[in-house]
Amino acid sequence: MKSLFDAWSNKDPEWEKKYEELLMMPFTDYGRGTSQYTESRGKIFGAGYEMFIIGFFIGLYFDKTRKLTDDKSKRKHFGHKIMFWGSQEGKLKLGRTSYKKIQEYMFAALITKTDIDFISLEKGEVSVDDAANSLKHKMEEYANYGFHYLEDMLEDDPNSLFKDSAFLKIFTSFISDDNIGNDDVENFEEDIESFEDEELEDDSIDEESLRAEAEKPWNEDEIERLTMYFEHDMELNRIAERLEKSLYSVQYQLSQLGLIRMPLNVTVKNTENGGTVINKSGKVVYTDEAPLKIFNDKIYRFNMKPMCMTVKDIKRVGGEWVKGSKMLVAYTESALYPKLSSSNFMDDIEDFVEGNKREENKIKVRGIWYDYYGDKIDSQSR
């Protein structure tokens, strides 16, 4: 029987191309090879054949197969024979362990599930290679069913597999009540759920340090994975965990890509001496002699002078909160300036919206919108 194992392990299984984008690319380092960077890229599995093994065991546990498409142009193979799955003696690769036992388990299962005439094989009436091909085809069909099963899961919930315990839960669901008590199952599920609900951020960590770290550039590979996870509706804290980044970093990079607006995660407080910006840890990170107000997740500085009222933004530059550029100026002769109360003019300001260019900015005061120069929006345009 050893020769049949050798013949089977010398095969390179096929799978349907349609699963490359759906399963291989999001969850494995297919086409890149396994290295010490696999985990940092955020992939659950290393080489593509690891996903194939998962699909095979799903099909095996359900004892269901699914025939591959007859169109060979719609099939692929790994270019990596079964015998080379995992590290081999003398050919150890970073991040891989020996898959010899897995290969033996798969082979044993296929022997019991594949219709092979072993008497004819022993007599030489059936070639070892033909028998090995039968095992390979059964293996492919089990894996194809497993892929189809995962495809259905993603159709029902696109985020279902983008959880650290997703594949573990699939296999624990196969455990029968005869093998494990109900209490044990419930306790296990509670442990998994508590693990999934853990907060990523440590409140004791200084938020300004997190922000500074978030503003460091990412490489192309990290950006590619970030975009893919976001498009699959993965929760941001899970993306951060998968990419081994802080939540700030994920939010910042997504905002740089124009996919979300970066949350401020700060508050402002005004006194008679001016305004301050306070982060979630309670640390004052910016002070100004003019009062501040937040509109649309952005901080603005409103300075009432004898000759005009100006608006500037407060933003982070080089890791520091600084006073930005002029966003609006309303001189005494404008329609807006006389409407502002000298004592509590900040209460009069209800909204501030930036346009595509500075001159298109507008401010809402007491229910009326004014343009960059302090004139009513519905009046003569400049």
Side-chain angles (χ1 to χ4, degrees), residues 77-93:
H77 56 78
F78 297 109
H80 209 61
K81 296 176 181 179
I82 298 170
M83 68 173 69
F84 297 125
W85 289 5
S87 63
Q88 308 299 312
E89 291 185 10
K91 296 183 179 180
L92 294 177
K93 295 187 178 181

Side-chain angles (χ1 to χ4, degrees), residues 13-186:
E14 290 185 297
W15 46 280
E16 295 189 3
K17 283 184 177 180
K18 65 179 182 179
Y19 296 117
E20 180 174 3
E21 184 174 350
L22 183 70
L23 298 174
M24 296 298 178
M25 301 308 292
F27 300 105
T28 78
D29 273 314
Y30 172 69
R32 298 172 183 264
T34 303
S35 71
Q36 69 269 38
Y37 302 109
T38 296
E39 185 177 355
S40 67
R41 288 192 188 119
K43 297 306 181 74
I44 296 176
F45 303 109
Y49 56 72
E50 294 181 2
M51 178 61 76
F52 185 93
I53 292 172
I54 292 294
F56 168 79
F57 279 110
I58 290 175
L60 181 65
Y61 275 112
F62 281 109
D63 197 17
K64 291 185 178 180
T65 58
R66 187 179 178 88
K67 187 176 180 294
L68 272 68
T69 176
D70 292 328
D71 188 347
K72 289 190 175 294
S73 67
K74 294 182 180 179
R75 298 185 192 178
K76 294 197 73 170
H77 56 78
F78 297 109
H80 209 61
K81 296 176 181 179
I82 298 170
M83 68 173 69
F84 297 125
W85 289 5
S87 63
Q88 308 299 312
E89 291 185 10
K91 296 183 179 180
L92 294 177
K93 295 187 178 181
L94 290 171
R96 291 183 182 170
T97 56
S98 175
Y99 284 11
K100 190 71 173 178
K101 287 295 182 183
I102 293 179
Q103 294 169 20
E104 292 173 354
Y105 295 149
M106 297 175 78
F107 178 74
L110 289 169
I111 287 293
T112 62
K113 296 293 186 178
T114 308
D115 185 16
I116 297 177
D117 187 343
F118 288 100
I119 295 177
S120 297
L121 178 64
E122 187 69 24
K123 291 180 178 179
E125 296 172 358
V126 175
S127 72
V128 172
D129 191 61
D130 287 342
N133 279 329
S134 296
L135 296 176
K136 181 178 80 81
H137 293 154
K138 177 68 72 173
M139 179 186 188
E140 291 168 341
E141 291 180 351
Y142 271 133
N144 199 42
Y145 176 82
F147 286 174
H148 177 69
Y149 177 86
L150 296 174
E151 180 182 31
D152 283 345
M153 286 186 63
L154 289 171
E155 285 183 357
D156 292 339
D157 178 7
N159 195 38
S160 60
L161 296 180
F162 287 87
K163 297 179 180 179
D164 293 335
S165 60
F167 290 91
L168 177 61
K169 281 191 170 182
I170 291 173
F171 285 101
T172 55
S173 70
F174 299 145
I175 301 175
S176 66
D177 292 338
D178 294 335
N179 296 326
I180 186 169
N182 288 332
D183 291 340
D184 292 333
V185 172
E186 290 176 2

Side-chain angles (χ1 to χ4, degrees), residues 218-231:
W218 288 20
N219 61 43
E220 292 182 4
D221 189 67
E222 291 171 330
I223 293 294
E224 176 186 347
R225 282 160 174 72
L226 171 67
T227 305
M228 176 185 65
Y229 291 148
F230 183 79
E231 290 175 348

